[in-house]
Amino acid sequence: MSLLVNSNTIGAGAEEARGHSGGGALREIYDVNAQVVSVAVVPGEVYRAKLVAPEIARSARPLQFVNVEVSQGPHPFLRRPFSLSWFSAAEGLIEITWAVVGEGSKIMTQWETGTEVRVLGPLGNGFSLKDIKGEALQNADRPRLWLVGGGTGLLPMYPLAKEAASQGWEVALFYGARSMAQVMDTSRFVKAGCRVIVATEDGTYGSRGRVTDLLEPVIPELGHEDVIVACGPVPMLRSVKNLMALSAAPLYVSLESRMACGTGLCKGCAVRAAGDEEKYYHVCSDGPVFRADQVELGGAP
Amino acid sequence: MGHTDLSLDFAGIKMKNPIAAASGVFGYGEEYSRIGDIRAFGAVSVKGTTLKPRAGNPPPRVAETPAGMLNSIGLENPGAKVAAEEKIPWLRQFGVPIIVNISADTYEEFSELGTIFKDVEGVSALEVNVSCPNVRAGGMAFGLDPRSCYRAAKAVKDAFGGTVIVKLSPNAADITAVARAAVEGGADALSLINTLLGMAIDIRSRKPLLGNITGGLSGPAIKPVALRCVYQVAQAVTVPIMGMGGIRSWEDVVEFMLAGASAVAVGASLLVDPLLPERLTRELAGYCAREGIGNPGELVGAAWR
Ligand SMILES: Cc1cc2nc3c(=O)[nH]c(=O)nc-3n(C[C@H](O)[C@H](O)[C@H](O)COP(=O)(O)OP(=O)(O)OC[C@H]3O[C@@H](n4cnc5c(N)ncnc54)[C@H](O)[C@@H]3O)c2cc1C
Ligand SMILES: Cc1cc2nc3c(=O)[nH]c(=O)nc-3n(C[C@H](O)[C@H](O)[C@H](O)COP(=O)(O)O)c2cc1C
Ligand code: FES
């Protein structure tokens, strides 16, 4: 299924409303030669870089990502997908934050101020409060947004937290990491007006346990005025989905998958549609954000 | 420095430059239109299209490998009817020659596909995919054996009538024998190479990385194999060749032409560098101008002529 005909998926409606329908084009994607303006190691054993990319910053939405060139030579061949952990249309800047897990993310640690890298974006549907339909929410005095982040899944949720808080939503973040060393800085969430609750698996920071242990006790309180957005490893998303099965509050999940193009060209980033053996969505173009009931979370990425 | 003309007539397809989009990295153009200008291509080959819609293979479907990638998409496509009635009519607006890449499990299906696309306005050629490693039945099997390739080519040519390109597999024991059989069956041109059958194993899970276990290898890693195939096939047949396999620079384009390709296609590299065709045409024109080459056609086969 092409993203063009799939009006069920998030973001499609909003784009139509913007009137980008000529020639079948939805959003524009830019391949920019972006200059690194700052790069640093930040708490949680992750790197963070800001890049000049005005075209991308101008049209980006929360939970979108970019595909980053890590080498100009033939190897590593593919670009690497990274979420926008922050962006500013006014400043023309985007920010990505990454954990070093392999060859590509390691090469990126050699970036310095002034390094130029090709960045393709903004990619994916992203997620905005405008995408949430439901009368109860529209009429709610103080709608609540619950963010559930595991590991690097925390990163892409900041732009959404900021958007929601600035529009008068009550925002809470449940964040789980393995151990204190991996706990990322959540102060920007706090500054945005968001309540932050952290758990580590070994109890070295926050409470001991998993992020789902933080979520579980509040589930009975959740209703039509609440929205939950989860981003993290698939097993975590699966647990959240199971926990939320009987709740009236809508649950959205942001997925990762192996990708080549990141733009819908190759159909390489398939994720199985829930309850349909013969249907796939594509994480890069239909997602990365899906309603949890749309997708099968059985397999690992 | 004389004026360089990049245009060519490729088996009746009027290409304004020799750079095409390879099948499977361009869909039917909709996604690409959000990123780049479709008019930059000399021709476009659309996603492998089958009679019935196909959902594709289970994920993961792509894996990076040294200087390349494996894919096991499994011919995810909306089927010939949707392609003919919606996708091609939309793509036609750009005025770029459209090559419809087709795949089938039987000769009868190939023939049916030929009949369906015969009447579709704006289809410049059919590209018969007898080389897809990612589907269990049929697919690559037709491209490994000269006799089956002959029958597949003939089935399409008889039904379609127009320009037929047969896309060859590097996995054949003797690619020149398959190439000759394709031409005997009625192929007006050949395209090569499709991907090489390969795999990757995840050492953590100790299991194959791709959901389909095996996949097709493409990208710069396969360029030497592709060049060798073009070099051999070009000397074995007289029909024009569209060369592909790892192309990512103007130097690669020139190499393929010297080996005997009249036109080339970009596959995996387009996924990494979507604006590649614009750069390749500009740089190829620059090279020709520097070398005093009026049309890159002069280069074709120079490595063995
Ligand atoms: C939409 C999206 C958003 C992401 N956002 C972030 C982020 O904000 N911060 C962050 O640290 N990581 C993020 N990731 C994961 C990130 O893409 C991988 O960690 C990265 O590609 C690893 O590259 P590597 O070369 O270091 O690893 P290698 O293992 O050497 O990479 C080999 C290949 O596998 C792919 N790959 C490996 N791990 C993953 C993974 N988890 N997901 C997808 N592909 C993978 C690589 O892209 C590459 O093609 C995101 C992934 C996706 C799909
Ligand atoms: C993601 C992907 C999908 C492909 N799908 C098709 C297809 O549907 N039909 C086909 O004939 N070839 C398909 N191919 C093969 C390419 O068209 C090309 O022959 C091959 O990848 C070699 O060129 P490259 O190294 O430039 O990619 C596909 C290749 C890739 C990478
Ligand atoms: S990564 Fe190519 S379609 Fe999603």
Side-chain angles (χ1 to χ4, degrees):
Chain A
M1 267 295 121
S2 146
L3 75 164
L4 299 161
V5 294
N6 206 329
S7 55
N8 266 337
T9 46
I10 295 153
E15 288 315 311
E16 277 155 28
R18 277 195 225 166
H20 283 299
S21 56
L26 286 175
R27 279 179 288 266
E28 293 296 323
I29 295 171
Y30 303 92
D31 190 18
V32 300
N33 214 5
Q35 203 172 59
V36 175
V37 291
S38 68
V39 56
V41 188
V42 294
E45 299 176 336
V46 288
Y47 282 73
R48 168 167 285 173
K50 281 194 167 64
L51 300 112
V52 183
E55 297 90 340
I56 298 177
R58 208 183 307 129
S59 49
R61 291 155 48 91
L63 285 148
Q64 281 193 303
F65 65 100
V66 289
N67 220 358
V68 179
E69 183 182 83
V70 292
S71 160
Q72 287 177 4
H75 186 83
F77 183 60
L78 298 175
R79 294 194 188 206
R80 299 315 195 237
F82 292 99
S83 306
L84 295 170
S85 51
W86 172 88
F87 54 87
S88 162
E91 292 169 71
L93 297 175
I94 60 169
E95 179 196 86
I96 57 173
T97 308
W98 71 95
V100 177
V101 300
E103 219 177 340
S105 50
K106 180 142 186 236
I107 291 172
M108 289 163 61
T109 64
Q110 290 158 18
W111 289 359
E112 306 170 342
T113 304
T115 303
E116 287 198 350
V117 284
R118 292 211 75 82
V119 178
L120 188 70
L123 304 177
N125 56 357
F127 186 82
S128 169
L129 301 173
K130 294 189 284 285
D131 295 328
I132 307 167
K133 293 168 194 89
E135 257 172 72
L137 265 176
Q138 311 289 323
N139 299 329
D141 284 342
R142 192 147 164 80
R144 294 184 297 186
L145 175 67
W146 304 83
L147 303 172
V148 184
T152 52
L154 167 79
L155 297 165
M157 298 203 289
Y158 172 64
L160 179 64
K162 206 171 58 161
E163 180 190 297
S166 73
Q167 292 182 23
W169 286 54
E170 191 180 320
V171 188
L173 166 70
F174 293 129
Y175 168 42
R178 247 181 309 137
S179 185
M180 186 156 84
Q182 284 86 38
V183 175
M184 285 180 262
D185 185 11
T186 53
S187 58
R188 53 165 70 169
F189 285 87
V190 176
K191 243 179 260 162
C194 172
R195 190 156 58 90
V196 176
I197 307 106
V198 185
T200 50
E201 283 174 35
D202 60 5
T204 46
Y205 189 94
S207 61
R208 183 196 199 93
R210 291 172 185 266
V211 70
T212 39
D213 300 330
L214 302 175
L215 175 68
E216 204 167 351
V218 306
I219 289 178
E221 293 175 33
L222 303 181
H224 294 290
E225 303 196 341
D226 298 278
V227 175
I228 295 89
V229 179
C231 184
V234 170
M236 178 204 105
L237 298 178
R238 198 187 305 135
S239 308
V240 174
K241 183 175 173 177
N242 291 341
L243 282 175
M244 292 289 301
L246 296 175
S247 172
L251 168 65
Y252 295 86
V253 292
S254 187
L255 303 183
E256 288 186 4
S257 99
R258 297 216 168 228
M259 291 185 176
C261 66
T263 57
L265 293 172
C266 73
K267 310 300 173 206
C269 56
V271 55
R272 181 160 269 152
D276 188 345
E277 292 273 295
E278 280 298 294
K279 181 177 161 74
Y280 293 99
Y281 289 113
H282 302 101
V283 174
C284 78
S285 47
D286 300 319
V289 186
F290 296 90
R291 270 193 69 122
D293 54 15
Q294 279 184 294
V295 288
E296 193 61 63
L297 297 175
Chain B
M1 268 192 283
H3 174 74
T4 304
D5 169 23
L6 293 184
S7 71
L8 71 155
D9 181 316
F10 183 84
I13 307 171
K14 304 270 181 291
M15 296 175 65
K16 70 170 192 293
N17 69 60
I19 318 288
S23 174
V25 297
F26 178 78
Y28 297 87
E30 290 141 324
E31 295 86 358
Y32 191 85
S33 71
R34 300 170 50 203
I35 314 166
D37 185 359
I38 290 177
R39 294 175 190 88
F41 293 99
V44 292
S45 179
V46 301
K47 177 64 192 171
T49 304
T50 49
L51 212 47
K52 296 264 145 51
R54 287 180 63 104
N57 285 332
R61 293 180 177 181
V62 290
E64 188 180 66
T65 55
M69 64 177 282
L70 287 162
N71 88 79
S72 61
I73 309 299
L75 291 177
E76 176 178 334
N77 79 92
K81 190 172 147 64
V82 171
E85 291 173 7
E86 297 169 27
K87 306 288 180 183
I88 307 298
W90 180 86
L91 183 54
R92 219 160 48 206
Q93 67 179 297
F94 298 93
V96 172
I98 301 169
I99 300 169
V100 179
N101 183 281
I102 54 170
S103 191
D105 294 336
T106 63
Y107 303 115
E108 291 71 31
E109 276 179 29
F110 267 130
S111 170
E112 246 180 280
L113 284 162
T115 307
I116 291 173
F117 287 106
K118 181 187 158 103
D119 300 320
V120 179
E121 193 192 327
V123 174
S124 295
L126 289 188
E127 179 176 46
V128 190
N129 180 1
V130 289
S131 44
C132 183
N134 291 326
V135 286
R136 229 161 289 272
M140 187 170 76
F142 293 112
L144 299 183
D145 164 50
R147 177 99 210 119
S148 342
C149 185
Y150 168 86
R151 287 188 61 190
K154 188 159 170 24
V156 177
K157 184 67 188 182
D158 288 351
F160 181 63
T163 300
V164 170
I165 305 169
V166 171
K167 184 161 179 181
L168 303 180
S169 169
N171 302 304
D174 179 0
I175 195 170
T176 58
V178 182
R180 279 193 216 95
V183 174
E184 267 170 51
D188 304 286
L190 300 175
S191 58
L192 57 148
I193 58 175
N194 207 317
T195 54
L196 287 144
L197 191 58
M199 76 180 295
I201 294 175
D202 183 344
I203 58 168
R204 271 161 299 194
S205 69
R206 303 185 172 187
K207 291 283 178 293
L209 204 149
L210 294 173
N212 189 49
I213 300 172
T214 60
L217 180 64
S218 62
I222 72 167
K223 196 188 93 178
V225 177
L227 264 180
R228 183 269 298 168
C229 290
V230 170
Y231 186 86
Q232 290 179 332
V233 170
Q235 295 175 72
V237 299
T238 52
V239 299
I241 289 171
M242 182 172 288
M244 66 194 84
I247 293 174
R248 62 188 286 277
S249 69
W250 68 266
E251 290 95 331
D252 294 337
V253 175
V254 172
E255 265 191 88
F256 273 84
M257 291 187 154
L258 294 170
S262 307
V264 298
V266 287
S269 294
L270 192 74
L271 303 176
V272 175
D273 188 359
L275 303 181
L276 183 62
E278 284 162 40
R279 202 183 80 218
L280 287 183
T281 29
R282 194 175 59 241
E283 292 178 354
L284 180 65
Y287 163 78
C288 289
R290 284 195 304 280
E291 299 285 316
I293 296 166
N295 185 296
E298 295 167 31
L299 300 167
V300 178
W304 47 266
R305 270 192 221 282

